[in-house]
Amino acid sequence: MALALMRRHRRWLFAFLWVVIAAFIILYFPAFQGSTTGSPGETLASVGGLPISVGDFQKTYLQQRQMYERIYQGRLDAAGIKAMGLEKQVLEGLIAERLIVLEAKRLGLTVSDEAVAREISTSPQFQQNARFIGGAEIKRLLELRGMSEEEFEDGIRADLLKRRLEALVTDGVSVTPADAEREFRRRAEQIKAEYVLASVVPFRAQVSVGDDEVKARFESRKDAYKIPEQRIVSYLLVDTEVLKGRVTVTDRDVDAYYQEHKDEFKEPEQVCASHILIKVKAKPQDQDGHPEAEARALAESLLAQVKAGADLAALAKKSSEDQGSAAQGGDLGCFFRGQMVPEFDNAAFSLASGQTSDLVKSPFGFHIIRAVSHREESTATLTQVKDRIRASILDQRAKALSDEKVDAVAEALRRGKTLDTTARENGFTVAKSGPLSRGEGAPPLTSPALVARAFGLKPSEIEKEPFRVPRGMAFIALAEIKAPRIPDLTEVKEKVKADIVEEGALAKARETAVLLRARAEKEGLEKAALAEKLVRKETPAFVGRGQAIGDLGSGAALDEAAFALPEKTLSEPVRTSGGYAILRIMEKKPFDPAAFEAQKATLLASLKSEKKGQLFQAYMTEARQRFTIERRPEAMKRVVG
């Protein structure tokens, strides 16, 4: 009973963590998968002096592993677990727990025995028929799982401490009704629009710029071209692609993998089919679809034509209401079981190749389905998949080698070795980056977190933790600080020229949009677009706030203009990323005040919870800088192999 209650209340997962772990160990894991784990008391890492032991890690790792194995229903093997980096996830979670304890202590937060007892006795998780189940019942449940009362209470205490720290950090968070209304509008308001874009692209070639104009622009706006403070870092890159050259994969490896993982290469049964769809209205007020009786009559008429020998593809192009397949003659391609709704799936897979169904009713409406062909379940041969297997094993081994090298580099740096010495000892070289600006990296160092840290380092300071970059993991040290300065014209001449060209092209695009709108007021947007040699387009479906409006993209200004526009009204020229656009709202799902009022309280609570979560996460990221985090890669390697 207690475990069932726990599942319905996730915040108590940590309180019952030891219970669950004990059950997993007894039922599933008599040993830690045969690894040479070392002593349970051995330290894997420490956070501000608080140790994380092998025993702590093992218990949490086992619980997490079993959770993933349940999710993947036995399809997750040791290689898959290794690939997802489960051991690192677990260690980072334990580090976060230690940080919470340290932050709570720093701020003077404690949890008394009385608070723990009160939490247990008043929690709904420990109530039955509105009464506390009692200490004896809880003790009995703990004994069944080989867990002490002290361990159980420690879990409760840790959860309470975290909640108190979160409350202290986030209790000032507030959300206004205006915030809730904005979020409701973002979720609920939708439009269908037609539009014409006067693109800036063709006008760029029409703008000519002389050297004198470039010089005058630069002299008048020097501050606009001021180069801000920049930083250059030395970096050691653990490049996963380069490391692939240091590992090998033999034909024997490939064959062994194939034999052990044949299930991965099974192709389930497929059916290739076409259909005609006549939609049924989900609600009487819906604009899309037909009343059910009318939809059935239309579908029966089409089915009669198909049975009389009419071409299904031609009928689908003419009459099917499935926008995704009608243009292709109703062709849906090939699909596995479960990819379609059950009613469609059952009918399609029961048909013989070339056979056409009777009417099939699904939540979308009435279908006429033809099975074009069937593909029986099969297993790919080794010859067919050997290249894929070789690449997969190569990736796994390069990743494992990369992890090993990253750990070795980090450990060496923590012991005080220089970046150059560490690089030499591990077969790497140290390079210097191009100038980094705040918020702007330089390849291969494009990580925002890395760039931000570069601006927090002191001269010659080494950051001992790695940063993920597109090519692997990078360690950095500050090499040089370049002070802000006004550049010479020669350094920014092309940028100045490009700015002048862009301004001129935008002005011409806006002039075109103004003329387009004036013509559209008289002739309509379609004719006006043709006259200006432009293209009228429309959104294929309803779009909401924050979503792209066709190929105009998205943005605050475009959103504001589009959603403020009354139906059937032309907009003024609207600036977009590609030029200026004229829009006309064809249909709108407007703001519903009554629906908003009904959902306002839920929205306020949801937004407040989200903001609190974001604030606490940012707080904990900052807390990591206050305490020394030390890892012992050699101990971790002994534990996880």
Side-chain angles (χ1 to χ4, degrees):
M1 182 195 69
L3 290 176
L5 287 167
M6 182 194 71
R7 292 187 196 102
R8 296 199 296 271
H9 300 273
R10 293 181 181 178
R11 76 178 192 181
W12 284 93
L13 179 59
F14 291 106
F16 272 98
L17 183 58
W18 292 92
V19 176
V20 178
I21 289 168
F24 286 158
I25 292 171
I26 293 167
L27 295 174
Y28 301 104
F29 294 98
F32 190 65
Q33 303 300 309
S35 297
T36 304
T37 61
S39 165
E42 183 180 4
T43 298
L44 276 183
S46 66
V47 184
L50 292 182
I52 297 171
S53 71
V54 168
D56 294 334
F57 176 84
Q58 285 176 333
K59 290 172 183 176
T60 309
Y61 179 93
L62 293 173
Q63 186 267 337
Q64 291 291 327
R65 176 169 177 158
Q66 183 63 19
M67 179 190 73
Y68 280 119
E69 288 181 340
R70 286 204 317 276
I71 291 171
Y72 286 93
Q73 299 179 350
R75 299 190 302 274
L76 188 65
D77 59 12
I81 289 172
K82 186 76 174 175
M84 72 168 56
L86 181 58
E87 65 273 9
K88 289 198 172 184
Q89 292 180 32
V90 169
L91 184 58
E92 286 303 312
L94 291 169
I95 288 172
E97 289 179 11
R98 300 305 189 273
L99 284 170
I100 287 171
V101 171
L102 289 166
E103 274 298 294
K105 182 178 180 181
R106 186 179 72 85
L107 297 171
L109 299 178
T110 59
V111 176
S112 66
D113 292 342
E114 291 77 9
V116 172
R118 185 167 55 252
E119 183 71 14
I120 294 171
S121 64
T122 60
S123 172
Q125 281 79 4
F126 306 119
Q127 307 293 316
Q128 186 175 22
N129 299 325
R131 298 182 63 185
F132 176 49
I133 63 175
E137 175 65 9
I138 291 177
K139 185 176 181 180
R140 185 184 70 82
L141 292 171
L142 296 176
E143 287 174 348
L144 285 174
R145 292 161 179 83
M147 178 179 174
S148 71
E149 292 178 70
E150 183 181 1
E151 289 170 333
F152 171 68
E153 290 175 1
D154 283 346
I156 299 289
R157 194 183 308 277
D159 184 58
L160 279 173
L161 194 64
K162 180 176 183 248
R163 284 156 52 193
R164 289 187 180 181
L165 180 61
E166 284 180 330
L168 182 65
V169 172
T170 65
D171 270 1
V173 169
S174 63
V175 178
T176 67
D179 295 329
E181 183 176 328
R182 276 193 295 273
E183 178 63 13
F184 181 83
R185 287 181 180 275
R186 185 188 69 78
R187 297 182 186 182
E189 288 186 306
Q190 294 183 315
I191 57 169
K192 278 186 179 178
E194 61 173 343
Y195 60 89
V196 178
L197 173 66
S199 173
V200 72
V201 175
F203 297 114
R204 287 174 182 150
Q206 300 176 21
V207 180
S208 58
V209 183
D211 288 346
D212 289 343
E213 190 176 357
V214 171
K215 183 177 180 181
R217 164 75 171 237
F218 176 71
E219 292 296 335
S220 65
R221 305 189 187 181
K222 280 186 176 181
D223 281 347
Y225 299 99
K226 185 177 182 179
I227 297 175
E229 178 188 325
Q230 294 178 310
R231 298 205 164 189
I232 295 173
V233 298
S234 300
Y235 67 92
L236 184 162
L237 177 62
V238 181
D239 190 325
T240 307
E241 286 300 312
V242 171
L243 290 176
K244 285 182 180 180
R246 302 188 192 181
V247 298
T248 57
V249 180
T250 66
D251 289 343
R252 182 176 293 180
D253 294 331
V254 173
D255 183 64
Y257 187 94
Y258 178 76
Q259 297 303 329
E260 292 172 14
H261 301 83
K262 271 193 175 180
D263 284 350
E264 292 181 17
F265 307 108
K266 280 186 178 178
E267 280 287 328
E269 177 190 4
Q270 296 182 65
V271 65
C272 306
S274 298
H275 81 141
I276 296 172
L277 170 66
I278 301 299
K279 293 183 177 179
V280 173
K281 288 177 181 285
K283 299 175 184 175
Q285 65 269 29
D286 285 352
Q287 307 230 346
D288 205 17
H290 312 267
E292 182 166 344
E294 180 184 321
R296 181 183 289 277
L298 289 168
E300 286 176 341
S301 172
L302 290 168
L303 179 60
Q305 294 178 58
V306 171
K307 288 184 174 180
D311 182 50
L312 185 142
L315 283 176
K317 286 183 179 180
K318 179 181 176 182
S319 303
S320 180
E321 295 174 350
D322 177 8
Q323 295 178 352
S325 68
Q328 287 75 46
D331 185 10
L332 295 168
C334 302
F335 47 88
F336 304 119
R337 285 188 184 274
Q339 288 185 258
M340 302 295 185
V341 293
E343 299 88 346
F344 193 101
D345 240 15
N346 293 336
F349 278 90
S350 68
L351 296 171
S353 295
Q355 187 180 2
T356 303
S357 71
D358 289 325
L359 292 190
V360 175
K361 177 72 163 50
S362 84
F364 297 103
F366 291 98
H367 305 262
I368 301 165
I369 306 168
R370 174 169 294 168
V372 178
S373 63
H374 279 267
R375 297 179 184 176
E376 299 302 324
E377 181 182 287
S378 62
T379 300
T381 65
L382 175 59
T383 301
Q384 291 172 318
V385 296
K386 65 180 180 180
D387 289 341
R388 176 159 43 117
I389 293 174
R390 190 181 302 276
S392 175
I393 297 173
L394 189 65
D395 284 343
Q396 289 177 20
R397 291 183 178 178
K399 173 68 166 55
L401 180 58
S402 173
D403 290 346
E404 181 183 317
K405 291 294 184 182
V406 167
D407 288 342
V409 169
E411 184 64 19
L413 294 178
R414 290 188 199 104
R415 291 176 177 171
K417 291 190 177 181
T418 66
L419 205 59
D420 286 309
T421 300
T422 302
R424 266 195 319 275
E425 290 177 352
N426 289 276
F428 298 108
T429 57
V430 173
K432 279 196 175 181
S433 72
L436 308 177
S437 301
R438 290 185 186 274
E440 184 179 344
L445 307 183
T446 54
S447 158
L450 183 151
V451 175
R453 183 64 183 124
F455 279 84
L457 292 173
K458 299 172 184 176
S460 300
E461 184 181 359
I462 300 173
E463 172 52 58
K464 299 173 181 63
E465 295 296 323
F467 296 90
R468 185 167 296 283
V469 295
R471 284 169 44 190
M473 302 292 282
F475 294 85
I476 63 172
L478 182 59
E480 182 183 348
I481 298 175
K482 298 173 75 72
R485 63 188 178 87
I486 301 292
D488 294 330
L489 176 57
T490 53
E491 296 179 76
V492 293
K493 182 177 180 180
E494 291 306 313
K495 176 170 172 47
V496 177
K497 183 177 180 179
D499 287 348
I500 297 172
V501 168
E502 195 68 11
E503 283 183 9
L506 278 169
K508 289 179 180 292
R510 192 179 192 288
E511 289 171 12
T512 301
V514 169
L515 293 173
L516 171 73
R517 186 185 186 284
R519 189 184 288 268
E521 288 276 20
K522 301 173 184 176
E523 304 173 359
L525 203 53
E526 180 80 54
K527 289 184 178 179
L530 287 171
E532 297 293 336
K533 298 181 179 178
L534 299 171
V535 180
R536 173 200 166 274
K537 297 181 181 180
E538 61 182 63
T539 57
F542 278 101
V543 295
R545 287 182 178 270
Q547 296 178 322
I549 299 177
D551 56 8
L552 296 180
S554 59
L558 182 59
D559 245 22
E560 188 61 35
F563 283 88
L565 198 62
E567 283 189 39
K568 316 301 181 187
T569 304
L570 289 168
S571 72
E572 295 297 327
V574 180
R575 177 77 170 89
T576 73
S577 59
Y580 279 90
I582 302 297
L583 298 92
R584 177 178 166 274
I585 304 305
M586 302 163 66
E587 194 176 344
K588 178 182 284 191
K589 293 181 180 178
F591 173 69
D592 183 342
F596 169 63
E597 284 302 321
Q599 296 182 36
K600 183 163 69 172
T602 301
L603 272 173
L604 284 167
S606 172
L607 288 173
K608 189 170 184 178
S609 176
E610 183 180 336
K611 286 180 72 174
K612 282 186 171 186
Q614 291 169 349
L615 176 59
F616 190 67
Q617 184 177 10
Y619 176 86
M620 293 307 298
T621 298
E622 184 182 334
R624 292 179 76 95
Q625 307 305 316
R626 284 194 277 271
F627 303 99
T628 301
I629 300 173
E630 296 181 350
R631 296 175 175 84
R632 296 186 59 202
E634 70 284 357
M636 175 66 84
K637 192 171 182 179
R638 284 197 297 276
V639 172
V640 299

